[in-house]
Amino acid sequence: MVYSLAWLPDALLGAGLKVAPVDGWEIRGRGDVGRTLGVLCHHTAGPKNGNMPSLDTIIHGRPDLNGPLAQLGLGRDGTFYVIAAGRCNHAGEGAWRGINSGNTNFIGIEAENTGLLDDTPWPAIQIDAYQRGVAAILKHAVLGPECCAGHKEYAPHRKTDPTLNMDNFRATVGNILSGIAPQPVLIPAAEPPSQLGAAPGRPTLRRGAQGDLVKAVQRDLNLSDDGIFGGQTEAAVRNFQRTNNMVPDGIVGPKTWTALDTAAARVTTATSATARSATASSATEASAAGVSVAA
């Protein structure tokens, strides 16, 4: 059964956000949800290192609480992981604006952050995505920014997440909904033309893409080239981006294409140099042995 929140990825993508659906998300949930009446913001209190190290816990739960624990996970790089389209165990006992059915009527977002003082400030790219993602959900549900709450506001006597000023957070969400916030910086759909009047270059690739260009990326990253941009390819792209001091968003856009080309050229140059060295060495040995070597 596909649950009611099947619209989540399209709403987020429509806001220009990075989205990574988790296999089986459409049929994952503890039954279906009711009408969306708001968004509840959390932080994971998970590990300090990694983009979304708490993902497995959000999907499967903890020993004391069955999963899924939220519909969405938000990585440190601003990627939304779509985990469930059904009801999740994320709210518990509490209330916001008179609504106490959080698990049924609020969409939960678990943003990756330890919740500790040494894990602040939050990455700007993550905060921006958090606010734009909440705004996209509220827009779809025809709700205002007041319908967004922190878990610490919903359950103030037992929760402290997220470690954000929720009044400021809601104000920015309101600006986004009103269209007065700065527009997001979007990744171009393709490389710019090589010259005036030429066609655009290679398209931007992300999870879900297929074809020969995906195979080329996989070969550059020493992966099996099945031509399917799945989780393994995305993880390898992220690792490559980190190694090259880029934003590790797992998307192959113009900057990443250039970096891959540069890395491939270095490998080709090194391989050619090694081959020339080996040829010269063989020629020297042959000469020493009195053997003629044809040009």
Side-chain angles (χ1 to χ4, degrees):
M1 172 184 178
V2 175
Y3 289 124
S4 296
L5 298 178
W7 52 266
L8 276 174
D10 287 341
L12 297 170
L13 287 168
L17 296 164
K18 297 186 288 290
V19 178
V22 177
D23 289 346
W25 69 272
E26 307 100 320
I27 58 174
R28 185 176 293 117
R30 305 194 62 75
D32 208 356
V33 295
R35 177 188 170 194
T36 298
L37 299 178
V39 178
L40 210 55
C41 298
H42 307 258
H43 67 233
T44 61
K48 184 175 183 179
N49 297 317
N51 187 56
M52 192 77 233
S54 302
L55 182 59
D56 189 70
T57 299
I58 300 171
I59 296 171
H60 300 292
R62 312 185 303 260
D64 62 323
L65 188 62
N66 292 326
L69 304 183
Q71 282 85 9
L72 298 169
L74 176 59
R76 290 185 167 100
D77 70 348
T79 297
F80 277 96
Y81 293 81
V82 186
I83 294 165
R87 185 163 51 85
C88 299
N89 284 332
H90 69 94
E93 184 179 352
W96 177 250
R97 302 181 71 244
I99 303 168
N100 59 11
S101 52
N103 287 344
T104 299
N105 297 109
F106 282 74
I107 292 174
I109 303 175
E110 283 281 2
E112 195 66 74
N113 188 279
T114 67
L116 303 176
L117 292 177
D118 63 353
D119 201 19
T120 54
W122 292 51
I125 192 172
Q126 186 183 25
I127 291 295
D128 184 66
Y130 211 164
Q131 293 163 337
R132 294 186 187 278
V134 168
I137 293 169
L138 295 177
K139 180 179 179 181
H140 181 93
V142 195
L143 299 170
E146 69 281 358
C147 295
C148 160
H151 203 194
K152 62 185 178 184
E153 297 174 305
Y154 179 87
H157 301 298
R158 61 186 183 86
K159 293 296 179 179
T160 61
D161 62 311
T163 56
L164 298 170
N165 183 314
M166 291 307 298
D167 288 330
N168 292 344
F169 189 98
R170 278 186 288 271
T172 301
V173 169
N175 289 340
I176 295 169
L177 287 169
S178 300
I180 62 176
Q183 292 298 308
V185 178
L186 302 178
I187 299 172
E191 295 177 294
S194 57
Q195 60 186 22
L196 188 64
R202 292 166 293 188
T204 292
L205 303 178
R206 63 187 76 209
R207 185 187 286 235
Q210 298 185 31
D212 290 340
L213 283 175
V214 176
K215 290 183 179 182
V217 170
Q218 291 170 327
R219 287 193 292 268
D220 285 344
L221 298 175
N222 297 314
L223 300 175
S224 174
D225 58 343
D226 62 2
I228 300 173
F229 200 130
Q232 184 181 22
T233 301
E234 183 180 70
V237 171
R238 289 183 193 278
N239 186 59
F240 174 82
Q241 290 167 327
R242 290 190 193 95
T243 302
N244 287 273
N245 299 313
M246 306 169 69
V247 175
D249 57 14
I251 298 173
V252 182
K255 292 181 180 179
T256 302
W257 276 123
T258 298
L260 286 168
D261 291 343
T262 300
R266 284 199 298 265
V267 171
T268 299
T269 300
T271 301
S272 297
T274 300
R276 288 195 299 270
S277 177
T279 300
S281 177
S282 297
T284 300
E285 292 175 359
S287 177
V291 178
S292 176
V293 179

